[in-house]
Amino acid sequence: MPLLVMKFGGTSVADLDRIKNAATKVQREVERGYDVIVIVSAMSGKTNELVGWVEQTSPLFDAREYDAVVSSGENVTAGLMALTLQELGVPARSWQGWQVPIHTTDAHSAARFTDIPRANLDQKFAEGFKVAVVAGFQGIGPDGRITTLGRGGSDTTAVAFAAAFEAERCDIYTDVDGIYTTDPRITSKARKLHKIAFEEMLELASLGAKVLQTRSVELAMRNKVRLRVLSSFEDTDENSGTLVCDEGEIMESKVVNGVAYSREEAKITLVTVEDRPGISASIFAPLADAGVNVDMIVQNISEKDYEDHLGSVTDMTFSVPINQVERAKKAMEESKAAGRIAYDELIVDTEVAKVSVVGIGMRSHTGVAARMFKALADENINIKVIATSEIKISVLIDRKYMELAVQALHDAFDLDEA
Amino acid sequence: MPLLVMKFGGTSVADLDRIKNAATKVQREVERGYDVIVIVSAMSGKTNELVGWVEQTSPLFDAREYDAVVSSGENVTAGLMALTLQELGVPARSWQGWQVPIHTTDAHSAARFTDIPRANLDQKFAEGFKVAVVAGFQGIGPDGRITTLGRGGSDTTAVAFAAAFEAERCDIYTDVDGIYTTDPRITSKARKLHKIAFEEMLELASLGAKVLQTRSVELAMRNKVRLRVLSSFEDTDENSGTLVCDEGEIMESKVVNGVAYSREEAKITLVTVEDRPGISASIFAPLADAGVNVDMIVQNISEKDYEDHLGSVTDMTFSVPINQVERAKKAMEESKAAGRIAYDELIVDTEVAKVSVVGIGMRSHTGVAARMFKALADENINIKVIATSEIKISVLIDRKYMELAVQALHDAFDLDEA
């Protein structure tokens, strides 16, 4: 029997009516001949309520108890979904993490899957159950205590089950109807993609397109799980939404498939840093130790270097999330005070944003960067930092031009045309 | 290490402040040198919310899914209580039913304990954990699915743990400060009992004193678990509340220790029933089949019998909960229509109440009934039905006299005097 995994997020199971709506979508797949594993999140708001109680009770909480409390939200939805399916005449039962059992590491609140044995669910499917409703986001650790996977863990649960049960596809039902070429709130020309490659989705996810958690996309890519993102709130069929898949499945791809942005960026420049081997390590090691997520890094020859013709100093620029600026400054100032690094000045620019173009076609096409820079130049947008990867080019610009840049790039790469 | 079981009901853990308050009571017992097993209910209102969702989803719900959903309320409290204790510096962890594991029958929503192995908790106590916080009301069935015990199941969980772990005492913290000679809302002379025998508590519980579930008292009596009922909302010490214990522990007992009442009664009389062997069975079997809880039963010689000197007819009177009257009438009328019983008339009196005096001293004292009947006669209260057991005398009277009867009996047996 072919098998599907269907995952419903918090807004898709927010109340009994929405659970019913989701169950109807499951029923339709059963009628099409599928066995289905349904992965559910907590009803929206429930996880936040539980987390709030834990944090109020114990600011530095025992993560094992946090997991025991917070996982209950998914258990409630799983039971209600099973009951709703039964009401529709679909043979279904709920499974909590420990019942499957979903084995994980003991990293409470940030656990990773170690093994999802198929025996229990396979037996129930063999007995005629058509649907296994599994509580997402949870598992059990080596000591038999409940673990959770961290936020977004339900997507990851869905992909892990799709891999373990060799599902034909993993459908992620959410509150948007697919992956778009860019944010439709920024340009009405944004177009829904029918297919997108795993690598592109990864770049888009980590760049701030919040539809899918990076971790679930990575897991899907590694296990070649075909992921589909589609809306809970619309009538859907086999062609709905966006399929995230191996690039081999995408016949013809554009050079650029999406324009992503991130508003919450800040740029930090260390001016006149001593330029010697190991200087990068002595800057970025303390930042990593302080938990700062450094993104783009650029090393310029210092203006002072030009003036003095010394050849021994440089400027170092990097970007960090805006809410980590203070932490980054503190780490740098402490390193300077301790004599581990030397610089004249630390300049913070919190008025920047990052805009990126993404596409697997870049691997085989040249001229993408030039086209991007020209489009920005035509709008008189100054580029502050550039970073590139095999399938992505990112620039840091003044935040006030962010929307304009996204629109210009969307036009420049003809993303409104299918 | 001596061990205590402490149970906190829904109102005692209704919010984070109350959980903190309860945890402080646990901490005090740990400081006195006890290991403690804490049994918790769901935060008040939570179970009703979950039950409501299940019933709205599926009126004839799968009890296994009901149990999976509804048990989550206790899991949340258990985790929060463990965290609160940790904040107070008390080494504690939470246990869900399947982790202990609490083995039960597979009668979902009405399961009974089959085994509570001590190994896991004993090991943690040996490692230095002082408190095990156990989610009440739940267990796992033979098939590994979650079971619940039905309402009041948390009291029963507490008693079962006290028995399994040979606890010195099982303290039930609730919203009243003990067991009273009668309802203080009916007479201000009602007095808190320092001790009460299991048998007396059983009669009081089943007669409508809602402090302890009958089932938990039965289990305590069978296992000689000393039960104490005391208030969560007052400062308490080793003399607080009411101890429910073996009668051997009660030095001097009054003849009557309590006056109970039940307002929700109805009296049904079948007039002129054929009086032959087997007639009682042919009346009460269909009532039992219809799920009617018949309480008091009286068979009178029929007035018609006096008139006709036939000696072959009788009147049969019995009491039922008022909300089961229609069901009882239907069962009787169907039996009459099918020719299985014959009677002239079925008379329903829904304006009755039951008042009972209870005391283990009755076993060795005579004259209790006479004293009771005289006290009621002095107030011109007519007795409609009488039923007696070894330690209880119950009467059915007009409901409008119920409060008066309770007051009169409380006075007649000097229950206000310690």
Side-chain angles (χ1 to χ4, degrees), chain A residues 267 269-273 299-317 344-345 347:
Chain A
K267 177 169 79 88
T269 303
L270 302 181
V271 180
T272 326
V273 178
Q299 185 176 343
N300 293 335
I301 192 159
S302 174
E303 284 175 33
K304 196 156 182 283
D305 209 23
Y306 283 112
E307 291 160 19
D308 302 351
H309 303 280
L310 294 174
S312 60
V313 291
T314 185
D315 291 350
M316 188 73 83
T317 298
D344 282 355
E345 205 181 345
I347 302 170

Side-chain angles (χ1 to χ4, degrees), chain A residues 73-378:
Chain A
E74 281 73 16
N75 293 344
V76 170
T77 320
L80 294 177
M81 176 64 84
L83 286 166
T84 308
L85 285 163
Q86 291 176 2
E87 281 294 301
L88 294 173
V90 179
R93 72 155 275 195
S94 69
W95 297 83
Q96 300 187 3
W98 59 274
Q99 292 176 316
V100 172
I102 302 173
H103 294 294
T104 73
T105 60
D106 65 356
H108 284 275
S109 304
R112 293 188 165 261
F113 297 112
T114 52
D115 186 30
I116 302 179
R118 291 178 52 152
N120 285 340
L121 267 60
D122 276 346
Q123 189 192 328
K124 288 291 166 191
F125 283 127
E127 288 173 12
F129 277 82
K130 303 305 293 177
V131 180
V133 185
V134 177
F137 173 68
Q138 62 179 252
I140 50 167
D143 59 353
R145 297 195 70 172
I146 294 169
T147 53
T148 66
L149 310 174
R151 287 298 174 110
S154 292
D155 283 354
T156 315
T157 303
V159 174
F161 271 81
F165 287 82
E166 300 167 79
E168 188 172 305
R169 204 174 56 237
C170 178
D171 285 348
I172 308 285
Y173 284 85
T174 180
D175 48 7
V176 299
D177 65 350
I179 310 296
Y180 278 72
T181 50
T182 194
D183 186 341
R185 289 170 301 185
I186 290 186
T187 169
S188 59
K189 293 182 186 170
R191 183 175 52 82
K192 192 172 74 185
L193 293 160
H194 187 54
K195 290 184 179 176
I196 185 171
F198 290 124
E199 293 87 343
E200 292 173 324
M201 188 66 229
L202 269 181
E203 294 290 0
L204 291 171
S206 60
L207 288 172
K210 282 167 186 154
V211 180
L212 282 175
Q213 281 281 317
T214 305
R215 196 169 145 201
S216 64
V217 181
E218 282 170 358
L219 192 64
M221 183 166 74
R222 210 158 51 238
N223 292 282
K224 296 216 186 292
V225 169
R226 302 167 77 233
L227 261 181
R228 190 166 64 140
V229 176
L230 67 176
S231 169
S232 288
F233 305 117
E234 293 177 8
D235 279 339
T236 43
D237 60 29
E238 54 268 45
N239 292 313
S240 301
T242 300
L243 186 70
V244 188
C245 57
D246 197 81
E247 59 183 281
E249 228 187 291
I250 302 174
M251 295 297 284
E252 198 72 60
S253 181
K254 296 193 162 199
V255 179
V256 166
N257 270 321
V259 181
Y261 66 88
S262 167
R263 207 183 296 267
E264 309 298 314
E265 301 286 325
K267 177 169 79 88
I268 296 179
T269 303
L270 302 181
V271 180
T272 326
V273 178
E274 180 196 10
D275 191 9
R276 58 169 169 81
I279 187 66
S280 295
S282 58
I283 291 172
F284 294 106
L287 288 170
D289 291 346
V292 175
N293 295 312
V294 175
D295 178 17
M296 305 164 85
I297 300 174
V298 180
Q299 185 176 343
N300 293 335
I301 192 159
S302 174
E303 284 175 33
K304 196 156 182 283
D305 209 23
Y306 283 112
E307 291 160 19
D308 302 351
H309 303 280
L310 294 174
S312 60
V313 291
T314 185
D315 291 350
M316 188 73 83
T317 298
F318 53 91
S319 69
V320 300
I322 201 160
N323 59 5
Q324 295 183 359
V325 165
E326 287 311 309
R327 216 188 296 167
K329 268 177 73 175
K330 188 156 168 280
M332 291 295 90
E333 284 159 4
E334 284 174 3
S335 286
K336 188 181 183 184
R340 286 192 293 271
I341 55 173
Y343 58 83
D344 282 355
E345 205 181 345
L346 185 153
I347 302 170
V348 175
D349 182 355
T350 57
E351 295 296 319
V352 294
K354 181 168 66 171
V355 175
S356 310
V357 297
V358 174
I360 46 171
M362 284 188 210
R363 291 206 196 102
S364 49
H365 285 75
T366 55
V368 177
R371 199 159 148 196
M372 179 181 192
F373 302 155
K374 177 167 189 306
L376 296 173
D378 287 348

Side-chain angles (χ1 to χ4, degrees), chain A residues 43-105:
Chain A
M43 295 158 86
S44 65
K46 285 292 160 191
T47 300
N48 287 341
E49 180 183 60
L50 295 167
V51 169
W53 285 341
V54 168
E55 291 178 345
Q56 282 176 62
T57 298
S58 179
L60 299 168
F61 50 76
D62 177 346
R64 295 164 300 190
E65 299 299 348
Y66 171 99
D67 287 353
V69 170
V70 172
S71 59
S72 68
E74 281 73 16
N75 293 344
V76 170
T77 320
L80 294 177
M81 176 64 84
L83 286 166
T84 308
L85 285 163
Q86 291 176 2
E87 281 294 301
L88 294 173
V90 179
R93 72 155 275 195
S94 69
W95 297 83
Q96 300 187 3
W98 59 274
Q99 292 176 316
V100 172
I102 302 173
H103 294 294
T104 73
T105 60

Side-chain angles (χ1 to χ4, degrees), chain A residues 16 54 56-58 62 65 68-69 72 76 79-80 82-84 86-87 93-94 96 98-99 140 144-146, chain B residues 16 54 56-58 62 65 68-69 72 76 79 82-84 86-87 93-94 96 98-99 140 144-146:
Chain A
L16 301 186
V54 168
Q56 282 176 62
T57 298
S58 179
D62 177 346
E65 299 299 348
V69 170
S72 68
V76 170
L80 294 177
L83 286 166
T84 308
Q86 291 176 2
E87 281 294 301
R93 72 155 275 195
S94 69
Q96 300 187 3
W98 59 274
Q99 292 176 316
I140 50 167
R145 297 195 70 172
I146 294 169
Chain B
L16 300 186
V54 168
Q56 282 175 61
T57 299
S58 179
D62 177 346
E65 299 300 347
V69 170
S72 69
V76 170
L83 286 165
T84 309
Q86 291 176 1
E87 281 294 302
R93 72 155 274 196
S94 69
Q96 300 185 2
W98 60 273
Q99 292 176 317
I140 49 166
R145 298 195 70 172
I146 294 169

Side-chain angles (χ1 to χ4, degrees), chain B residues 88-232:
Chain B
L88 294 172
V90 179
R93 72 155 274 196
S94 69
W95 297 83
Q96 300 185 2
W98 60 273
Q99 292 176 317
V100 172
I102 303 173
H103 293 295
T104 74
T105 61
D106 64 358
H108 284 275
S109 304
R112 294 187 162 262
F113 297 113
T114 52
D115 186 31
I116 302 180
R118 291 176 54 153
N120 285 341
L121 266 63
D122 276 346
Q123 187 193 329
K124 288 292 163 189
F125 283 127
E127 288 172 13
F129 277 83
K130 304 304 293 175
V131 180
V133 185
V134 177
F137 171 68
Q138 62 178 248
I140 49 166
D143 58 354
R145 298 195 70 172
I146 294 169
T147 53
T148 68
L149 311 173
R151 286 297 175 111
S154 292
D155 284 355
T156 313
T157 303
V159 173
F161 271 80
F165 287 83
E166 299 168 79
E168 190 172 302
R169 206 173 57 239
C170 178
D171 285 349
I172 307 285
Y173 285 85
T174 179
D175 48 7
V176 300
D177 66 350
I179 309 295
Y180 278 72
T181 50
T182 194
D183 186 340
R185 287 170 302 183
I186 289 187
T187 169
S188 59
K189 294 181 185 170
R191 183 176 52 81
K192 191 172 74 186
L193 293 160
H194 187 55
K195 289 184 179 176
I196 186 171
F198 289 124
E199 292 86 342
E200 292 173 325
M201 188 67 228
L202 269 181
E203 294 289 2
L204 291 171
S206 60
L207 289 172
K210 284 170 186 154
V211 180
L212 283 175
Q213 281 279 318
T214 306
R215 195 170 146 201
S216 64
V217 180
E218 282 171 356
L219 191 63
M221 182 165 76
R222 208 158 54 236
N223 292 283
K224 295 217 185 294
V225 169
R226 301 168 75 233
L227 260 183
R228 191 165 62 138
V229 175
L230 68 177
S231 169
S232 288

